[in-house]
Amino acid sequence: MEFKPEEFEKKWQEKWESLHLYRADDNSTAPRCFVVDMFPYPSGSSMHVGHPRGYVATDVYSRFKRMSGFNVLHPMGWDAFGLPAEETAILNKEYPTVTVNRNIDKFKLQLTMLGLGYDWSREINTTDPKYYIQTQRIFLEFFKRGLAQNKTVAVNWCPELGTVLANEDIVDGKSERGGYPVYQQPMRQWILAITQYADRLVDDLELLPHWPEKIKTAQRNWIGRSEGHEFEFVTTAGINVPVFTTRLETLPGATFLVLAPDSEITKKIIPSAANLAEIKNYIEISGQKTDLDKQLSNEKTGVIIEGVTATNSFSNTQIPIVIADYVLSSYGTGAIMAVPAHDERDAEMAQVLKLPVVTVVEADKMINAGSLSGETILEARQKVSKMINATSQKRFKIRDWVFSRQRFWGEPFPIVWVEGQDNYELIAKSPVGKWLPKEPVSYSNEAVEYFAVPVLPEFLSAMRLPQVESYQATGTLEGPLAGISEWVNTFINTETGEVSNESRGENWIPALRETNTMPQWAGSSWYWLRYMDPTNETAPFSKESSKYWGPVNVYAGADHAVAHLIYARFWHKMMQDAGMVDFPEPFERLEFLGYILAADGTKISKRKGNSRSPEDIVKEVGADAFRLYETFIGPFEKPIPWSDNGLIGCRRFLEKIWRLAETVIEAKAEVSDPAAASSINKTIQKVGQDIETFKFNTAVSSMMICLNEIQKSVVSIADFKSYLALLAPFAPHMAEEIWSMSKAEGSIHLSSWPKVDAKMINDNEVTVAIQINGKHRSNIMASRDADEATIRGLVLNDDAVKKYLAGSELKKFIYVPGKIVSLII
RNA sequence: GCCGCGGUGGCGGAAUUGGUAGACGCGCUGGACUUAAAAUCCAGUUGUGGCGACACAGUGCGGGUUCGAUUCCCGCCCGCGGCACCA
């Protein structure tokens, strides 16, 4: 019979789904295994050959764990909020839900076509109101803890996209999407205080031994914790300048101070300057620089404040104060002591402004530093600290997270604004009170003060995105929701906290709904928890479900080394503090996936049309061969250019198995050849180990080696079934088809992973290599546990060895048991 | 600039508590089958020299340690990824 995968693949896919083969059991006593893929954004352009790489790998892993006796939860979902869907929807004049659902259907079809065994009963979609009402619910926990704040900050405003972008959305000073210019604009924004968790986010990386070191390092760098000292310089302007430094011992070499142009301290000091006009001019110019400008030109600019100096309290000298934009107002105190001898940037500045350079450290010892000369750096640091009464300080690079977007297609904040403190205090007496932070969140607009009031979980349905005709950008800094009056104008009941667009008499006061929406990161910051309890309507998930399923055992995906994986950890830790989960980290093990690149080594992109569709490949070689190739192509974590070349090899491999199956089933042998049995048992061991460690390429290779070894031998049906079981995670359709052809019971995917029969592995006779003066010259066969004398006899009797030894003296004989003999002559 | 990862045949790659480099797959060469082709099967395939047995060289480059180095150490070169004036 010919091998025609197209004739049985669909049949099995439908059968598996109807049998609920991949449903996880919430009440099993078996050990659990929770495997999560980074869920995709269902774009309009459907999947290319790169997407399935990770999904196939986790599918193989999940099938292997299921066969090994685990209660496996392997679900899938959609990260469907965000700009592209909104833009497509505007273009097609349809509600974004229509766009999103169409794309999801397409993606789901593609995943199913590949035989990926997900538990679809737990499918989630971040844009489903039943899901995002829970995202809003979690936001309330941030709000309650004072972690959701409202600040007017300079944000990255992108006029073309009509929105504010996070730093992560900007690449080389331009928007990641579209490559448009980005400008700094002050705006009222929601901020999540991730900096309050910075220490824990660094420290708890220690709890993650099964994360790749490179991801942990990237996170440490991103959070950027540095430990140093803070202290003040006295100035002749009568104002003290606080500075932060990690090199306190270099204070003797501090020859000037530098202030960030936009810092508060600069504003206070410059009225005393003799060259105020020059300074104001500099501040204005540097304020107009975009991030891109700053990256393009690394040349230092700055201006000295004339008529004001600061005291270096160590050397007791007066030093100049400089305003320069290489110092950032957003880090440290917005002011530094400049030590040009020991800091490259300060050195450049000193050169531009011709300021003095004093070397105070040489070969790790202090010099030119008065009483400190000769001391080590650490001793000097401690002494200076005492001398000037500096305080130890920790500082972080990571900033609080700008968490709002001026878009329509995102989760609305569960917040309404009421006018005036009286109204706020009135509402605080209602059940809303226990959801309020210690410090009220408020802002002023045209002399009116507005207070943020959370919408209680039971009334969150009032905060669903409205179904409206137009949801285009307003063209102002505000988002589309600001232009929809039935969204903006509402009422809140001061007794109950209920929100409604109709005032129903007493206790109802006017309120304004928040018009910003959350960024796409919101829904993806907790979704793995929703899989555990996907239909819960009263909470994001139950405590019991998270106790049973959490944490995720294996989380697999590409990219997002910092942003998503830090946000997810941050949300998780907040939820731990809120008592929603009781484990500190969401992902026990992280497997980082390498991208499939286009054949030319560049990124696959729709625009360039440099990729192939999975449909085409499935048509050509079948889903199983495609799956095999996706895993065989190279190490999981390594980026690899796509090439069709190896596909045919995987297809041939399956055809050979198909032919062997026919022979085996017909022959009905009771016992295999010993060599074949040995080979299969060795392979069982190897494949299991390799899948567990995500080395899928060598697992496939070892199955190929085994097939080459057994295809000419007598193989019993039982042994062949063992082999088939190894193949099942990789080629589920064909394995199932042959399984049923051999009249086996049930599905192969619910059968047990074969046990290694150590007795069948014949590894007593081994090849021992012989090296003479470091060169490989010959091999002998020997018993694995032969003693040295026996080996010595065999070696000296070997023809090749005799030839080399003729006329020479054997100086040394080294035997590494079972492996090698090294002779020195 | 800083941090991380990597460099092995024509190609994807395998092998690292130091022990036969190039498994497996693709491609290529020759052969069998066929009227012919496809498919399949068999043999070969790191380079150089040799009809051949075989010899020498060989894991980015230069050194070192070792009986033995793709693996460890020192100094470079190149590529990829991330961060980027963070005091």
Side-chain angles (χ1 to χ4, degrees):
Chain A
M1 224 167 60
E2 217 180 316
F3 175 59
K4 287 186 180 161
E6 62 277 13
E7 285 178 3
F8 56 76
E9 284 181 348
K10 196 140 191 272
K11 170 183 84 182
W12 288 118
Q13 287 159 12
E14 283 164 6
K15 185 117 192 232
W16 294 331
E17 191 52 37
S18 73
L19 289 173
H20 298 166
L21 208 64
Y22 308 118
R23 295 251 174 122
D25 182 351
D26 286 319
N27 303 299
S28 168
T29 52
R32 48 109 207 168
C33 182
F34 187 12
V35 182
V36 180
D37 295 281
M38 288 186 187
F39 65 165
Y41 173 77
S43 73
S45 50
S46 68
M47 294 199 297
H48 56 66
V49 290
H51 288 97
R53 189 180 188 193
Y55 306 148
V56 169
T58 52
D59 190 55
V60 169
Y61 186 81
S62 301
R63 288 172 185 276
F64 165 68
K65 294 304 266 191
R66 189 177 295 112
M67 291 171 80
S68 304
F70 286 82
N71 177 27
V72 172
L73 171 52
H74 187 215
M76 186 39 94
W78 315 101
D79 186 17
F81 271 128
L83 216 42
E86 184 168 340
E87 284 170 344
T88 310
I90 289 170
L91 205 71
N92 295 355
K93 295 195 165 49
E94 62 190 15
Y95 196 71
T97 307
V98 177
T99 322
V100 163
N101 287 341
R102 191 175 53 233
N103 292 348
I104 287 177
D105 288 347
K106 211 158 35 170
F107 266 62
K108 203 169 164 181
L109 206 66
Q110 288 185 304
L111 295 177
T112 305
M113 181 189 75
L114 297 174
L116 297 168
Y118 293 114
D119 180 349
W120 286 113
S121 71
R122 294 168 189 258
E123 175 180 0
I124 60 171
N125 170 350
T126 55
T127 66
D128 180 345
K130 285 184 185 149
Y131 180 89
Y132 75 70
I133 201 169
Q134 302 301 342
T135 308
Q136 292 172 320
R137 170 77 178 65
I138 298 170
F139 178 85
L140 292 174
E141 298 286 348
F142 279 103
F143 184 79
K144 178 181 172 180
R145 287 174 171 69
L147 295 167
Q149 298 151 3
N150 225 251
K151 281 183 189 164
T152 297
V153 283
V155 294
N156 308 300
W157 165 245
C158 178
E160 273 79 2
L161 296 177
T163 191
V164 163
L165 300 172
N167 290 334
E168 297 88 277
D169 300 327
I170 298 168
V171 177
D172 293 335
K174 297 197 166 177
S175 64
E176 189 195 9
R177 175 163 298 279
Y180 302 116
V182 174
Y183 305 92
Q184 301 291 303
Q185 285 281 331
M187 273 186 82
R188 179 184 69 83
Q189 294 286 340
W190 283 95
I191 305 284
L192 289 188
I194 193 170
T195 50
Q196 292 187 27
Y197 282 72
D199 255 327
R200 271 164 77 185
L201 288 169
V202 177
D203 291 341
D204 286 0
L205 288 172
E206 304 291 333
L207 305 176
L208 301 171
H210 303 297
W211 276 42
E213 212 47 54
K214 76 179 229 192
I215 307 288
K216 289 192 276 185
T217 307
Q219 296 210 352
R220 282 189 195 100
N221 292 342
W222 180 267
I223 297 166
R225 178 163 70 187
S226 55
E227 290 173 37
H229 295 87
E230 191 175 314
F231 65 100
E232 292 189 339
F233 277 83
V234 175
T235 70
T236 56
I239 289 155
N240 290 355
V241 176
V243 301
F244 173 71
T245 178
T246 54
R247 298 286 310 274
L248 186 61
E249 72 283 0
T250 62
L251 174 62
T255 51
F256 56 103
L257 296 189
V258 186
L259 316 182
D262 53 340
S263 72
E264 289 302 313
I265 194 79
T266 301
K267 276 184 205 141
K268 287 187 202 156
I269 283 196
I270 53 174
S272 314
N275 56 341
L276 189 56
E278 187 191 1
I279 290 169
K280 282 195 165 162
N281 183 41
Y282 178 78
I283 292 174
E284 202 186 323
I285 290 170
S286 73
Q288 285 165 355
K289 281 191 196 169
T290 64
D291 285 355
L292 186 62
D293 293 336
K294 287 179 192 168
Q295 273 168 22
L296 288 179
S297 160
N298 255 349
E299 267 169 48
K300 298 283 175 290
T301 58
V303 52
I304 296 173
I305 303 178
E306 305 287 354
V308 184
T309 56
T311 309
N312 182 329
S313 52
F314 184 88
S315 58
N316 209 13
T317 51
Q318 291 301 304
I319 58 175
I321 306 175
V322 171
I323 295 176
D325 60 11
Y326 78 94
V327 171
L328 309 175
S329 61
S330 52
Y331 183 81
T333 61
I336 62 157
M337 66 174 202
V339 186
H342 304 292
D343 184 287
E344 220 174 286
R345 296 151 303 176
D346 296 344
E348 288 168 28
M349 188 78 263
Q351 202 185 4
V352 170
L353 295 176
K354 302 194 171 58
L355 293 164
V357 180
V358 178
T359 303
V360 293
V361 180
E362 215 168 66
D364 297 335
K365 288 267 158 59
M366 303 300 297
I367 56 163
N368 301 329
S371 60
L372 296 176
S373 295
E375 302 263 18
T376 65
I377 288 173
L378 284 179
E379 286 165 352
R381 189 174 296 169
Q382 275 175 4
K383 284 195 176 170
V384 173
S385 176
K386 265 189 202 151
M387 219 180 282
I388 61 169
N389 211 9
T391 53
S392 290
Q393 286 268 335
K394 264 187 231 167
R395 295 284 175 176
F396 299 89
K397 274 203 269 186
I398 194 171
R399 309 292 158 74
D400 278 337
W401 179 8
V402 178
F403 192 66
S404 42
R405 299 289 184 273
Q406 291 64 52
R407 303 303 304 190
F408 176 83
W409 196 230
E411 299 87 347
F413 286 87
I415 295 289
V416 296
W417 296 91
V418 297
E419 257 186 47
Q421 190 141 5
D422 294 350
N423 282 329
Y424 182 76
E425 279 168 11
L426 188 62
I427 290 171
K429 289 181 196 137
S430 77
V432 173
K434 68 177 172 104
W435 288 92
L436 294 175
K438 281 199 193 100
E439 290 292 318
V441 172
S442 69
Y443 78 97
S444 294
N445 187 20
E446 291 171 6
V448 183
E449 198 171 18
Y450 294 91
F451 287 82
V453 174
V455 178
L456 295 177
E458 55 266 41
F459 301 130
L460 278 174
S461 59
M463 302 307 285
R464 267 170 82 152
L465 284 169
Q467 293 265 1
V468 289
E469 292 289 308
S470 164
Y471 38 87
Q472 304 221 5
T474 54
T476 67
L477 294 187
E478 289 186 292
L481 287 173
I484 302 169
S485 71
E486 70 253 43
W487 172 262
V488 178
N489 299 302
T490 189
F491 296 91
I492 183 165
N493 187 308
T494 55
E495 291 274 299
T496 63
E498 186 177 357
V499 170
S500 167
N501 274 15
E502 279 172 52
S503 164
R504 286 175 252 143
E506 251 186 280
N507 300 328
W508 290 84
I509 60 165
L512 303 172
R513 281 192 183 85
E514 169 64 51
T515 62
N516 286 309
T517 53
M518 299 185 205
Q520 202 181 353
W521 304 110
S524 62
S525 289
W526 71 281
Y527 70 105
W528 63 94
L529 291 159
R530 185 67 178 174
Y531 287 135
M532 300 169 171
D533 190 8
T535 56
N536 196 325
E537 292 196 359
T538 56
F541 51 91
S542 71
K543 188 77 184 286
E544 301 78 65
S545 66
S546 84
K547 266 192 172 151
Y548 178 69
W549 284 114
V552 172
N553 297 100
V554 180
Y555 190 41
D559 224 326
H560 304 302
V562 282
H564 163 61
L565 286 171
I566 286 187
Y567 298 151
R569 295 179 59 225
F570 168 44
W571 276 50
H572 191 93
K573 287 179 186 307
M574 188 285 292
M575 287 189 274
Q576 188 191 7
D577 292 349
M580 297 167 78
V581 291
D582 55 10
F583 44 100
E585 285 286 335
F587 313 121
E588 198 172 80
R589 173 173 164 193
L590 178 71
E591 287 295 336
F592 198 71
L593 171 70
Y595 272 120
I596 298 268
L597 306 168
D600 59 0
T602 61
K603 241 185 154 172
I604 292 178
S605 83
K606 187 194 175 190
R607 199 160 34 80
K608 284 195 265 178
N610 55 3
S611 175
R612 303 206 49 206
S613 81
E615 284 91 338
D616 285 354
I617 292 173
V618 169
K619 250 180 227 151
E620 282 167 31
V621 298
D624 286 337
F626 182 42
R627 291 169 56 106
L628 267 171
Y629 185 55
E630 288 272 348
T631 57
F632 184 60
I633 191 166
F636 181 76
E637 70 286 354
K638 201 187 155 189
I640 291 175
W642 177 264
S643 149
D644 284 355
N645 289 342
L647 262 177
I648 188 68
C650 292
R651 165 76 186 214
R652 282 177 193 156
F653 169 59
L654 293 178
E655 285 173 0
K656 283 189 217 169
I657 295 171
W658 186 260
R659 270 181 255 131
L660 178 61
E662 286 184 308
T663 319
V664 167
I665 292 171
E666 214 165 293
K668 296 195 182 73
E670 293 281 322
V671 183
S672 305
D673 284 349
S678 171
S679 174
I680 289 172
N681 276 285
K682 274 187 205 162
T683 308
I684 293 170
Q685 199 161 27
K686 169 79 174 155
V687 172
Q689 281 168 4
D690 281 355
I691 294 176
E692 189 57 67
T693 51
F694 267 52
K695 290 179 178 169
F696 305 103
N697 55 332
T698 51
V700 173
S701 147
S702 66
M703 288 189 288
M704 289 173 169
I705 293 169
C706 181
L707 181 68
N708 291 342
E709 284 170 357
I710 66 174
Q711 63 182 348
K712 291 287 155 58
S713 319
V714 175
V715 179
S716 71
I717 295 208
D719 284 344
F720 185 72
K721 278 187 178 165
S722 292
Y723 182 80
L724 210 56
L726 306 184
L727 186 74
F730 294 88
H733 309 88
M734 192 187 85
E736 189 80 305
E737 181 72 11
I738 298 176
W739 186 260
S740 83
M741 275 161 42
S742 72
K743 310 259 185 320
E745 292 280 307
S747 168
I748 190 170
H749 303 298
L750 300 182
S751 71
S752 293
W753 189 255
K755 295 228 168 5
V756 180
D757 185 348
K759 290 194 303 290
M760 297 310 292
I761 298 178
N762 175 19
D763 57 356
N764 287 333
E765 281 285 297
V766 291
T767 311
V768 175
I770 301 171
Q771 285 184 352
I772 296 172
N773 285 348
K775 280 192 164 65
H776 177 221
R777 294 300 185 185
S778 185
N779 295 322
I780 53 165
M781 293 301 293
S783 158
R784 177 177 287 280
D785 42 13
D787 62 11
E788 184 165 336
T790 314
I791 292 292
R792 192 179 179 115
L794 286 168
V795 167
L796 296 180
N797 206 30
D798 183 80
D799 286 344
V801 174
K802 278 186 194 159
K803 194 183 94 188
Y804 284 99
L805 241 47
S808 308
E809 179 198 352
L810 179 60
K811 294 190 184 128
K812 210 168 176 185
F813 184 95
I814 300 162
Y815 174 48
V816 183
K819 281 182 180 165
I820 202 162
V821 169
S822 191
L823 306 178
I824 312 303
I825 58 173

